[in-house]
Amino acid sequence: MFDLANPPAGFVANPFPFYDDLLRQSPVTPQPDGSYLICRHADLSAIYKDTGTYISDKKQAFAPKFGRGTPLYEHHTTSLVFNDPPLHTRVRRIMTSALTPRALKAMEPGLIATVDHLLDNMPQESDLIEDFASVIPIQIIGNLLDIPMEERHPLRDWSLAILGALEPTLTEAQLARGHAAVTEFKQYLQDLIARRRAHPGDPETDVLTRLIQGDDSGKLSEIELIQNCIFILNAGHETTTNLIGNGLALLHDHPDQKSRLLNDLTLIDRGVEEVLRYRSPNQFGNRETTAEVQFGGHKIPPGTNLHLCIGAANRDPEVFDNPTQFDITRHPNRHLAFAAGPHFCVGLTLARMEGRIALEHFLKRFPDYRLSDTRTPGGRIRFHGYQNLPARLS
């Protein structure tokens, strides 16, 4: 039996052949701890849309994992992604109102300038994660919250430590790093929020000011405000880093697709969608059942944790023709990289914009880049990407 908490050798670096086997042989797999692994696209789509039977609240699951009252428990049970209506509805409405088309359009020139500045200063021997992919979302989120440039250095390490705590199994050291990161980030945000209250920005473009001010439905509490600022960084950082890094790796490893894109850059949007499908930055979601349900012949009791395997669902042959083929012209592309239903990713438009601009501008500048043989996988189960991606740019 496939055990997500103790996966087979090779799974972390390359889970995709294992997903193909699960889809063929065991798309609904009971786990030793009583949870279930769900792999089919149709099953995930149905679960995402039914917020009554399948809840996002993780208090029951996270209490033994993090300990009640601990920094990680407070964060992951307060942030948007692990909450249900009415809190989810209220927080999401305020957050969505801060990410308006006007605000996103206003961000694009700064995003292009950031990408071009990075490309101007990249050495011939570069790490495409450290020198490029990971820098972009940190700067964009820093701009979103109007964090002073000189105060952005710790943001990435905080985010990696907090998100790393969502892995199926943790060492004591990983747990300690996660708790410390939440504590330090909270302390920083308390000071930043106090400064912003004293000197508000333009709520049309400054997301932090908009979150502080709230909307007609009310304001966030102080703890909701702090934890959802952390969530904005976490949700937009590692996933977007992985989108850009995975895209550059896939195009390098599929030179026919890279040539096709270079010959017709109008395919860039479809190319981004295919990267999201083929190598989803976020490989897993979770829900908890509130009633007995049936999937694949299994009766699943209420209170059961479900591991929603996005990476497998995006290779489901019932939905995608030739699902193991990387095809930048694929259309339609009904991937679940941003989830679905009421919990679909609030920042998907921004993530797509970052991916499109980063990949397009990089390819224009360095069409003949070569990756070395020493690329380092990210080493995570929930989030899939690279820790290092060394390359020669020309």
Side-chain angles (χ1 to χ4, degrees), residues 137-154:
I138 290 294
Q139 296 306 326
I140 297 310
I141 295 161
N143 294 345
L144 270 177
L145 300 176
D146 197 16
I147 296 174
M149 191 68 69
E150 65 274 12
E151 297 175 10
R152 298 180 184 185
H153 178 71

Side-chain angles (χ1 to χ4, degrees), residues 98-342:
L99 294 171
T100 62
R102 177 182 171 185
L104 292 172
K105 185 176 182 181
M107 272 184 246
E108 187 161 352
L111 171 57
I112 292 172
T114 295
V115 169
D116 286 343
H117 176 75
L118 291 171
L119 295 173
D120 288 341
N121 291 279
M122 288 178 71
Q124 282 297 302
E125 302 287 341
S126 291
D127 184 330
L128 302 188
I129 302 300
E130 293 293 332
D131 299 330
F132 188 63
S134 70
V135 183
I136 295 167
I138 290 294
Q139 296 306 326
I140 297 310
I141 295 161
N143 294 345
L144 270 177
L145 300 176
D146 197 16
I147 296 174
M149 191 68 69
E150 65 274 12
E151 297 175 10
R152 298 180 184 185
H153 178 71
L155 296 180
R156 186 181 182 217
D157 286 342
W158 284 338
S159 177
L160 289 172
I162 295 167
L163 287 177
L166 293 175
E167 288 292 281
T169 56
L170 297 174
T171 65
E172 287 299 319
Q174 289 172 319
L175 195 60
R177 281 197 297 272
H179 287 316
V182 174
T183 300
E184 292 167 14
F185 204 172
K186 278 181 63 180
Q187 292 170 346
Y188 172 73
L189 285 169
Q190 285 168 339
D191 176 65
L192 181 68
I193 289 166
R195 284 183 273 159
R196 197 61 47 81
R197 289 189 195 278
H199 302 285
D202 179 357
E204 292 297 318
T205 55
D206 177 3
V207 171
L208 180 54
T209 295
R210 174 65 70 91
L211 292 173
I212 290 170
Q213 293 180 352
D215 64 9
D216 293 341
S217 66
K219 295 184 178 181
L220 301 177
S221 69
E222 193 72 5
I223 193 63
E224 290 169 353
L225 175 60
I226 290 170
Q227 298 297 0
N228 281 289
C229 285
I230 295 176
F231 164 75
I232 287 172
L233 171 66
N234 292 346
H237 162 235
E238 187 165 8
T239 51
T240 306
T241 297
N242 289 349
L243 166 59
I244 297 168
N246 290 347
L248 291 171
L250 285 168
L251 289 168
H252 173 272
D253 296 342
H254 297 81
D256 59 323
Q257 297 298 300
K258 186 180 79 167
S259 295
R260 200 169 191 176
L261 184 56
L262 284 167
N263 289 331
D264 184 3
L265 281 169
T266 64
L267 293 171
I268 188 66
D269 289 325
R270 290 189 183 181
V272 168
E273 297 306 307
E274 181 67 347
V275 173
L276 287 164
R277 181 198 73 85
Y278 191 83
R279 195 168 287 171
S280 302
N282 182 15
Q283 292 284 302
F284 286 90
N286 291 89
R287 292 294 186 271
E288 185 178 304
T289 59
T290 62
E292 183 179 276
V293 296
Q294 291 197 36
F295 284 104
H298 295 271
K299 286 186 177 181
I300 301 176
T304 299
N305 185 34
L306 306 179
H307 308 281
L308 309 183
C309 190
I310 297 165
N314 284 347
R315 297 167 71 89
D316 190 337
E318 293 296 319
V319 178
F320 303 100
D321 293 332
N322 301 314
T324 61
Q325 179 179 336
F326 179 65
D327 178 6
I328 64 165
T329 67
R330 187 180 298 275
H331 186 76
N333 195 337
R334 294 168 46 215
H335 65 75
L336 295 173
F338 294 119

Side-chain angles (χ1 to χ4, degrees), residues 11-56:
F11 174 80
V12 176
N14 184 18
F16 305 103
F18 298 94
Y19 294 158
D20 296 337
D21 289 341
L22 286 167
L23 283 165
R24 283 192 302 267
Q25 301 171 15
S26 184
V28 179
T29 305
Q31 299 292 287
D33 63 358
S35 62
Y36 279 78
L37 179 63
I38 312 291
C39 294
R40 282 188 295 236
H41 188 286
D43 292 342
L44 265 67
S45 296
I47 290 168
Y48 281 135
K49 292 171 185 175
D50 185 349
T51 58
T53 308
Y54 309 98
I55 60 173
S56 297

